[in-house]
Amino acid sequence: MSPRAALASVWHVTATSAITTAHAQLAAAIEHLGYDEGLHAHLRMPRREIHVAVPLRTDSGELRLFRGYRVQHNVSRGPGKGGLRFAPNVDIDEVRALAMWMTWKCAVADIPYGGAKGGVAIDPTLYSKAELERVTRRYTTEIMPLIGPETDIMAPDMGTDEQTMAWIMDTYSTARGHTIPAVVTGKPIAVGGSLGRAVATSAGVVHVTRSALEAVGEKLGGKTVAVQGYGKVGAHAADLYAANGARVVAVSDVFGAVHNEDGLDMGRLAAHVAATGSVTGFDDADPLTNDALLALDVDVLVPAATENVLTEQTAPTVRARLVVEGANGPTTPEADAILARNGVSVVPDILANAGGVIVSYFEWVQATQVYWWTEKEIDERLEQRMVTAYDLVADLARRDGITLREAAGVIAVQRVAEAHEIRGLYP
Ligand code: GLU
């Protein structure tokens, strides 16, 4: 299969059933909490969504059109918050699922935000930087009525980065006539970004891994780790695991996986990826398929790429004792049941990858106060929030005999429902 065909097949799979997974997870929390169907329906339906057409004049002069979306799933605890995704198969249901997960993620992390997500159905690898800038600015202009530092704050996600955020910030600020850094997070440091934001999701993944291991009397040092997805989250997570004494034995990207039982040399691997654009072909490791990586006999498996990776087909092959979800929605409900039956503990996405939005919150607070914190302050506050959230979830899971995913869902849904209840229904 050509690299592009491989990429396309992965993207195709991602868009299929994220919303089914999100709905099943919400239903489980509602049932556990004993909430009625009216509240269930209220928490299920997105509060606001906008569909936009995003036209692009390409560098060669052709006109192309893309579909764009922004969904605010819930804004009861604060402004909408969540990333913007550029991927060819993005559709409204996927964005709805991702927005709903942001609501629960912000609630579990106890930061004062609702949940939102945006997407443009574009393959960013096919367009120049100038073309992506035009797409970003036009998309921002189209959704302008919905976004703002007090209403809905975007951040990077799959296919977007800090440069994308700088363009959004500039477009919004230009329209308003003055610089408004707090309209997006995950910006470059030079325009009001936060120290530590670029590695925050990965740092949080490592913090909860440590907590989960300590809960069973074990240490991170010496543990073997496989990371599926060597992107923004996975690459930094792999580096941080290695820096904390774990042995990263395998990593993958859409083109394939590489494996070295003695542990991959992260510095040399990063140089190889910078030079070739893929982990495949790394000379200090053996090639492996993505599915074989999921089935490795490791201590910790970290799906850090996209949705629907651990499924009814792949979950039975998992031999890791601990799965830590760097990605959003990597595990289907069927896979969840299989993993639980097989004694595999899963630290769920809305807890495990909350580090990104937690430091986004720090960035927004700093931008709002126009006062920037030190890296040490960011790191310490992130760790404290991740550990607090983990402990709360783990305590409930133990108390009620439920999985960490169910417990995280229950805490999140309860917090959002409480905000609804106290605010009351208008009119
Ligand atoms: N896209 C990231 C996520 O899914 C970060 C969102 C944010 O910082 O707002 O959590």
Side-chain angles (χ1 to χ4, degrees), residues 52 135-145 147 171-172 175:
V52 295
V135 165
T136 303
R137 289 185 185 277
R138 182 60 187 252
Y139 169 77
T140 305
T141 307
E142 293 296 335
I143 66 161
M144 193 85 81
I147 61 169
T171 307
Y172 185 81

Side-chain angles (χ1 to χ4, degrees), residues 12 26 28 80 130 145 151 172-173 179 185 211 238 247 261 283 310 325 330 352 407 424 427:
H12 181 72
L26 171 62
T151 50
Y172 185 81
S173 298
T179 300
T185 59
S211 290
R247 187 148 48 94
E261 204 40 49
D283 58 8
L310 295 174
E325 295 183 337

Side-chain angles (χ1 to χ4, degrees), residues 13-14 17 21 25 226 228 290-296 300-340 342 344-349 405:
V13 171
T14 64
S17 67
T21 300
Q25 291 164 352
Q228 183 261 341
N290 262 300
D291 280 353
L293 178 141
L294 300 177
L296 282 176
V300 185
L301 173 65
V302 183
T306 186
E307 296 105 82
N308 297 340
V309 168
L310 295 174
T311 61
E312 225 168 342
Q313 284 74 43
T314 56
T317 70
V318 170
R319 283 188 286 168
R321 304 320 298 156
L322 179 64
V323 171
V324 183
E325 295 183 337
N328 292 315
T331 309
T332 65
E334 297 77 23
D336 250 336
I338 294 165
L339 294 171
N342 292 347
V344 181
S345 180
V346 179
V347 186
D349 47 7
R405 183 180 323 278

